[in-house]
Amino acid sequence: MINLGNFLTLSTFGESHGTAYGGVITNFPAGLKPDFQEIQRQLDRRRPGQSTIVTQRKENDSVKFLSGVFNGTTTGTPIGFIIENENQKSQDYDHLANVYRPSHADFTYDRKFGIRDYRGGGKSSARETVNWVVAGSLARQILPSDVQIQAYVSSVGEIFCEKPYQDLDLSKTDDNDVRCPDPATAERMITRIKEIKKEGNTIGGTITCVIKNLPAGVGEPVFGKLQAELAKAMLNINAAKGFEYGSGFCGARMTGMDHNDLFNEDFTTKSNLSGGIQGGISNGMDIYFRVAFKPVATVLRDQQSVNSSGSTVTVAGKGRHDACVLPRAVPVVENLAAFVLADLFLINKLRKFNNQQSENNRI
Amino acid sequence: MINLGNFLTLSTFGESHGTAYGGVITNFPAGLKPDFQEIQRQLDRRRPGQSTIVTQRKENDSVKFLSGVFNGTTTGTPIGFIIENENQKSQDYDHLANVYRPSHADFTYDRKFGIRDYRGGGKSSARETVNWVVAGSLARQILPSDVQIQAYVSSVGEIFCEKPYQDLDLSKTDDNDVRCPDPATAERMITRIKEIKKEGNTIGGTITCVIKNLPAGVGEPVFGKLQAELAKAMLNINAAKGFEYGSGFCGARMTGMDHNDLFNEDFTTKSNLSGGIQGGISNGMDIYFRVAFKPVATVLRDQQSVNSSGSTVTVAGKGRHDACVLPRAVPVVENLAAFVLADLFLINKLRKFNNQQSENNRI
Amino acid sequence: MINLGNFLTLSTFGESHGTAYGGVITNFPAGLKPDFQEIQRQLDRRRPGQSTIVTQRKENDSVKFLSGVFNGTTTGTPIGFIIENENQKSQDYDHLANVYRPSHADFTYDRKFGIRDYRGGGKSSARETVNWVVAGSLARQILPSDVQIQAYVSSVGEIFCEKPYQDLDLSKTDDNDVRCPDPATAERMITRIKEIKKEGNTIGGTITCVIKNLPAGVGEPVFGKLQAELAKAMLNINAAKGFEYGSGFCGARMTGMDHNDLFNEDFTTKSNLSGGIQGGISNGMDIYFRVAFKPVATVLRDQQSVNSSGSTVTVAGKGRHDACVLPRAVPVVENLAAFVLADLFLINKLRKFNNQQSENNRI
Amino acid sequence: MINLGNFLTLSTFGESHGTAYGGVITNFPAGLKPDFQEIQRQLDRRRPGQSTIVTQRKENDSVKFLSGVFNGTTTGTPIGFIIENENQKSQDYDHLANVYRPSHADFTYDRKFGIRDYRGGGKSSARETVNWVVAGSLARQILPSDVQIQAYVSSVGEIFCEKPYQDLDLSKTDDNDVRCPDPATAERMITRIKEIKKEGNTIGGTITCVIKNLPAGVGEPVFGKLQAELAKAMLNINAAKGFEYGSGFCGARMTGMDHNDLFNEDFTTKSNLSGGIQGGISNGMDIYFRVAFKPVATVLRDQQSVNSSGSTVTVAGKGRHDACVLPRAVPVVENLAAFVLADLFLINKLRKFNNQQSENNRI
């Protein structure tokens, strides 16, 4: 149970059917007036029940800040927050107490800890990401106001958004339920998800995230390279199976003469296969990366599995689950990226000696 | 400049044309008798000049341990080590003092730090990975002796090793210069690299890494999930552009019914699209992941670029460089993975209360 | 805002007149059945209003655990907890919004953060220690059951408990209101505190803490020596001004021939001026240390001070404050020490290679 | 084996009779031109053989910087350094292989690690502090140039420097061999040390350290209070037994009316019993603290002890040892304090939101 962040840190807690989720953000700078409505708006983007293609569970996901803010301004002291769990139907899960569901974390938690809270997946539930949206959407407000972090669903199953992000209007991402900014592709994705849902099945996909206007200099080689910190954060998201940035896996097929990004005289680059990061440090160009998500493991059909005694049992998913987690994962990717960027952005402020002398706190 | 590891940690130092590379490993357990020959063997696998398809620079890469070992046994105190730089031709780089090479870290280091050691890329040189091979091959010896960590080159440019890892004899990886265990594919890869080299060009590829016999329970959700720690480590390798594990990006195209790994009654799984990790914790099945590497940025042909004043200049790569970094990256991937595993393996020992009571240090 | 602990960590939040205090404990081992009554009992020892010589504020200090415990057993996942604030009379503090009270943190918080929550001292309030008692009394349960951690008031102002701890019955500490196990001295201390209180003044003192039966081997030289970690923890307590262990400042007057602790053949030592720690590691003998506390800064008499504009103002303390903080600091010292010990105790389990191989998690 | 520092960190290695000492400093800011002569000068102040009252061992203690500096300027990358051991007479120690010397760390290292390097105390040797002087004297150069950190010997055994630091000329500290700035007291101390040395005995003492002109705002409550970080650092010094700052243990005898530091209208305080720190944050007044050192455990006379089998043996110290470690500890205290201050000084730069926006790294 390791924290998120290197200087700006987040410690979280909470299980699916426990009392509450929440966390503590430390080293948040004093003097910022958080836009709390924006934080709630980001939570609403992640919330169940917001459209017909996501789970119909009802959770208000309303966050309460318990400390670190006074008269609407951050005080520099730790920010505690809490999201109370509601609408818990824990008894729905009693039949799972001794069952290991396929491709869930039931077996591994049991092996690791010798005990697990089996209600709704306990700690392994993706509901944990509610904490990340709170912390990330707050951390985002540390970044310069023109930094844009925009994620969208770039594929669902075999349906890909073929246009590169440059040809999309990313401000339109939330205009449809699946959060793909290309209306025609979105339509096909939605249709596909509805089919899959009707079958009691689930489906995977990818999310692309684009970061614009981040200043050059952000990222801490050797072990805190910008892409490495992003990769770590993204691979901590439940169901994430892969991460690539810039040219990614395609870049592995290329030659150096084709891949190198030549400079313009204003230090921008003619191409951007580097994905805005060189040597682990942002270069001022757009940063873009892609995250792969496997299909949700909970299907509403019978599957053969085993219980903790090693006997074969039949598991039938029931309850209200997502057939495709991608639309709700968009704000998770965005805000988690924001937390990583804010952390490294702050650290970067200390990396030149001259900067430090500029401010004088003397009495 | 953040460290590697959460409990077992590595701090490194060194620049391409500085005096030496080296590092400090803390929290290494006492009482282990390191196989130093094995460490040197791993360094030799990474060393330049070991075959005709890699750079012909001569570096002995001989490591000296300066502390933490007494009479051939680790003492539990920090292990300092050093690899002295040799064969430096720093004057080769004077023409680069004010030049920003395409897709290198020259520009970003300058922006971030206001100064850079331009000789051989300074800190951004991949020579840093020599430290990781030392630390990783030592950490590997903490793991149970039957844990196998085997990486190999799974693609070079458009040439892919089509066989899945299960159909390969991974003990044959080092039998050829490119480190692909499929002899026919290896042949084609070698031919391709020689062509590319003759052209003064470079080429990318992928490395697959397979970990067998890791006990179940390794990995620290929420923020230290096994795949997340591996992804972070891998994306810190110079030239890495992507990471996927288990079904990876392919998994994003699948449905839940196809993707779920059903259990056998002995808790193994019938399929292993999970890649040996569920909920961020190892489940005892094989772990496998793939890392994408872009082509090396240094080409031996003229490229247009800019200098630090923003004027156009022509950069002509010279010196002894790798046309394809993949064969030498194989031991880097393996040993870096080993470090991550050893760190999480140790932490896992503390996660059950009963374990802790078993040992009694009383006088 | 740095966390407590190196492996077992505590992140806290909360301000005196905010909504709640609380925290997150990470890496707490799974499988322990916490004695929650004991935790509440420790909170009650710290609580205001428990006797006539401490502040008469009413705070129930009732802790709610929000996660990390299932069916009465820890699950290994982060333990979130909260203590809601009650009985807040925030308007009592409006007159202090722009005033810097002498020897308080008003001025320094303002300089550091540019803003402060002036209600009841905000973050600088000693109410923060309520979090430490919760986390410490829980962490204490990780330690072997025969480890005893016993603190007591060893001086109030000029009144010293002259007997060494060996001559005291430390189980009697809570038998009187001042928590000094020597009844006669306790009587004098109580009388002195009542006098001081009547004068509207306050008084300092010292707390001695004794740890028995801690196994040898706990402590992490070089930078995590047992005494250093204890010193850091203790000096973080509000009003603490000094720390000494074993012979302490008296030891500085001695010669080596007098100070050295000679061994018996069972590895106990004839004397224990080392205070149970040699080279930063516990040696199995009693650990004992002493913490100095300055008098509480809030006096109920007029004092001259300044406001944030630098103009002279008169400050008159009002409200319900401790004339002597020592009795309530006893459980803080004990439980904070417990947290430090539990953290280092766990880490020590990983420091020998053989131990680690003893447990096998294989499927 | 935990690192020093929270943002600016130091990892060290080395044993008394190993190959070398050294360390890695991470997050050191780029663009500083270190005064290397000053670093060597501080090492010379700590070096054995510098006067007749300290050990006559010959060690040049010459530091080599291996990385992180280019053309005389720090590059922001990790700074590796090494101090090679010389003049090792390891065979002097063979008789101690199985012997536990009184009040040394022989027994505890053996219990903790199951192995120890018995030559010269191995890792437990105070020679480790050579690393701290290097790192601290470099970190000191980050601080504003008018910050003064001045330590001196304030007592040797029963001989105290009675004058408060304000009445001493701290620039005279190095004018005599014992490093007490009061010439008459220094004379008495030197005489006492010579007597003790002649007897083959050793003696303890205290060091006072004064820090002037540190800006207000340095220190990170709750768990990184300035005094707590200083206490931790100081208690990690070999032989340190206590720490107090400001009024310290004397403050525990006082009343609030006497102890409170009243403000002047320029925010200085009339008295400074707070010792320049309020609420864990510097207030711009002088910081002063005192560290107690026990007498060196190695006496040159016969002592009864035990071996690792628990049999009684006679230990006779031989070799060249300090009769009083205080004069050589003065630069250790100063430079270790400097490291702590530099770390917290840097962190403080990030604690106000407005500061962070002032610098713009955009291309």
Side-chain angles (χ1 to χ4, degrees), chain A residues 1-4 6 10 12 100-105 107-109 111-114 123 128 132 157-158 160 192 196 201-206 216-225 227-229 231-232 235-238 240-249 251-257 259-265 267 270 273-275 278-279 281-283 290-297 299 301-312 344 348 351-352, chain B residues 1-4 6 10 12 100-105 107-109 111-114 123 128 132 157-158 160 192 196 201-206 216-225 227-229 231-232 235-238 240-249 251-257 259-265 267 270 273-275 278-279 281-283 290-297 299 301-312 348 351-352:
Chain A
M1 298 292 171
I2 292 158
N3 295 339
L4 181 67
N6 296 287
L10 172 65
T12 64
Y100 296 151
R101 292 166 298 163
S103 289
H104 272 277
F107 169 72
T108 52
Y109 267 69
R111 280 293 146 133
K112 184 177 185 70
F113 296 116
K123 187 66 195 172
E128 159 72 18
W132 311 353
E158 297 284 358
F160 282 76
R192 183 72 180 122
I196 282 286
N201 205 344
T202 61
I203 195 158
T206 58
V218 176
E220 294 299 316
V222 182
F223 292 118
K225 287 180 177 156
Q227 70 271 30
E229 295 292 308
K232 175 180 168 166
L235 265 298
N236 268 315
I237 302 176
N238 309 53
K241 299 296 289 185
F243 171 91
E244 60 178 3
Y245 81 103
S247 61
F249 278 88
R253 304 185 177 199
M254 295 174 72
T255 69
M257 288 300 288
H259 194 277
N260 282 351
D261 294 321
L262 302 186
F263 280 103
N264 297 309
E265 296 201 336
F267 304 115
K270 295 176 201 297
L273 293 168
S274 297
Q278 287 170 334
I281 301 167
S282 64
N283 69 355
R290 208 159 64 100
V291 185
F293 290 85
K294 69 166 188 173
V296 173
V299 293
R301 285 155 67 178
D302 283 359
Q303 289 180 105
Q304 189 187 304
S305 197
V306 294
N307 62 21
S308 57
S309 317
S311 307
T312 298
L344 296 174
N348 186 45
R351 306 301 278 115
K352 277 186 201 158
Chain B
M1 298 292 171
I2 292 158
N3 294 340
L4 182 66
N6 296 289
L10 172 66
T12 64
Y100 295 150
R101 293 167 297 163
S103 289
H104 273 277
F107 169 71
T108 51
Y109 268 69
R111 280 293 147 131
K112 184 176 185 67
F113 296 115
K123 186 67 196 169
E128 159 73 17
W132 310 353
E158 298 284 356
F160 282 77
R192 182 71 180 123
I196 281 287
N201 205 344
T202 61
I203 195 159
T206 59
V218 177
E220 294 298 319
V222 183
F223 291 119
K225 286 182 176 158
Q227 70 272 29
E229 295 292 308
K232 176 181 168 166
L235 264 298
N236 269 316
I237 303 176
N238 310 53
K241 299 295 289 185
F243 171 92
E244 59 178 2
Y245 81 104
S247 61
F249 278 89
R253 303 186 179 199
M254 295 174 71
T255 70
M257 288 300 288
H259 194 277
N260 282 352
D261 294 321
L262 302 186
F263 279 103
N264 297 308
E265 296 201 336
F267 306 114
K270 295 177 200 296
L273 293 169
S274 296
Q278 287 169 335
I281 301 168
S282 63
N283 69 354
R290 209 160 64 100
V291 186
F293 290 86
K294 68 167 189 172
V296 173
V299 293
R301 284 155 67 178
D302 285 358
Q303 288 179 106
Q304 187 187 307
S305 199
V306 294
N307 61 20
S308 57
S309 317
S311 307
T312 298
N348 187 44
R351 307 300 278 112
K352 276 187 203 156

Side-chain angles (χ1 to χ4, degrees), chain B residues 58-76:
Chain B
K58 283 191 188 117
E59 290 158 2
N60 279 326
D61 285 351
S62 151
V63 61
K64 271 191 267 186
F65 287 93
L66 303 173
S67 68
V69 182
F70 181 59
N71 289 342
T73 305
T74 57
T75 58

Side-chain angles (χ1 to χ4, degrees), chain B residues 49-363:
Chain B
Q50 61 184 288
S51 80
T52 57
I53 61 166
V54 300
T55 172
Q56 297 303 303
R57 280 196 309 275
K58 283 191 188 117
E59 290 158 2
N60 279 326
D61 285 351
S62 151
V63 61
K64 271 191 267 186
F65 287 93
L66 303 173
S67 68
V69 182
F70 181 59
N71 289 342
T73 305
T74 57
T75 58
T77 64
I79 297 174
F81 64 87
I82 197 171
I83 303 108
E84 282 172 20
N85 285 333
E86 309 163 7
N87 189 31
Q88 300 165 348
K89 302 194 176 173
S90 300
Q91 67 282 12
D92 277 9
Y93 293 92
D94 285 349
H95 64 294
L96 293 177
N98 295 308
V99 168
Y100 295 150
R101 293 167 297 163
S103 289
H104 273 277
D106 302 339
F107 169 71
T108 51
Y109 268 69
D110 241 13
R111 280 293 147 131
K112 184 176 185 67
F113 296 115
I115 179 178
R116 88 191 144 95
D117 178 351
Y118 53 78
R119 300 166 306 164
K123 186 67 196 169
S124 72
S125 167
R127 188 155 161 65
E128 159 73 17
T129 59
V130 76
N131 289 328
W132 310 353
V133 171
V134 171
S137 59
L138 184 59
R140 202 167 175 161
Q141 303 183 21
I142 294 172
L143 294 169
S145 56
D146 60 345
V147 175
Q148 290 178 31
I149 309 172
Q150 295 170 306
Y152 63 93
V153 174
S154 45
S155 74
V156 168
E158 298 284 356
I159 304 168
F160 282 77
C161 180
E162 307 284 353
K163 293 182 190 161
Y165 80 85
Q166 294 90 337
D167 297 349
L168 297 168
D169 180 352
L170 300 185
S171 72
K172 304 286 189 209
T173 296
D174 278 17
D175 286 3
N176 58 63
D177 289 347
V178 77
R179 292 203 169 98
C180 172
D182 184 51
T185 309
E187 200 64 36
R188 293 170 56 216
M189 287 173 170
I190 291 168
T191 303
R192 182 71 180 123
I193 294 172
K194 286 182 175 168
E195 283 170 14
I196 281 287
K197 191 179 176 184
K198 196 175 290 176
E199 294 168 15
N201 205 344
T202 61
I203 195 159
T206 59
I207 288 176
T208 295
C209 185
V210 184
I211 299 156
K212 293 177 182 160
N213 300 324
L214 189 75
V218 177
E220 294 298 319
V222 183
F223 291 119
K225 286 182 176 158
L226 179 45
Q227 70 272 29
E229 295 292 308
L230 286 169
K232 176 181 168 166
M234 295 305 141
L235 264 298
N236 269 316
I237 303 176
N238 310 53
K241 299 295 289 185
F243 171 92
E244 59 178 2
Y245 81 104
S247 61
F249 278 89
C250 285
R253 303 186 179 199
M254 295 174 71
T255 70
M257 288 300 288
D258 295 332
H259 194 277
N260 282 352
D261 294 321
L262 302 186
F263 279 103
N264 297 308
E265 296 201 336
D266 62 355
F267 306 114
T268 60
T269 57
K270 295 177 200 296
S271 55
N272 183 19
L273 293 169
S274 296
I277 304 173
Q278 287 169 335
I281 301 168
S282 63
N283 69 354
M285 301 293 292
D286 291 353
I287 293 167
Y288 58 98
F289 62 83
R290 209 160 64 100
V291 186
F293 290 86
K294 68 167 189 172
V296 173
T298 303
V299 293
L300 300 186
R301 284 155 67 178
D302 285 358
Q303 288 179 106
Q304 187 187 307
S305 199
V306 294
N307 61 20
S308 57
S309 317
S311 307
T312 298
V313 293
T314 297
V315 186
K318 49 184 180 178
R320 298 154 301 172
H321 296 279
D322 283 294
C324 180
V325 80
L326 277 289
R328 294 178 57 212
V330 164
V332 174
V333 167
E334 266 182 29
N335 290 294
L336 191 55
F339 196 93
V340 169
L341 294 176
D343 176 40
L344 295 175
F345 176 82
L346 289 175
I347 291 173
N348 187 44
K349 296 295 173 192
L350 295 182
R351 307 300 278 112
K352 276 187 203 156
F353 181 60
N354 290 339
N355 296 347
Q356 295 143 19
Q357 302 302 85
S358 62
E359 189 238 347
N360 199 324
N361 257 339
R362 298 302 170 81
I363 56 171

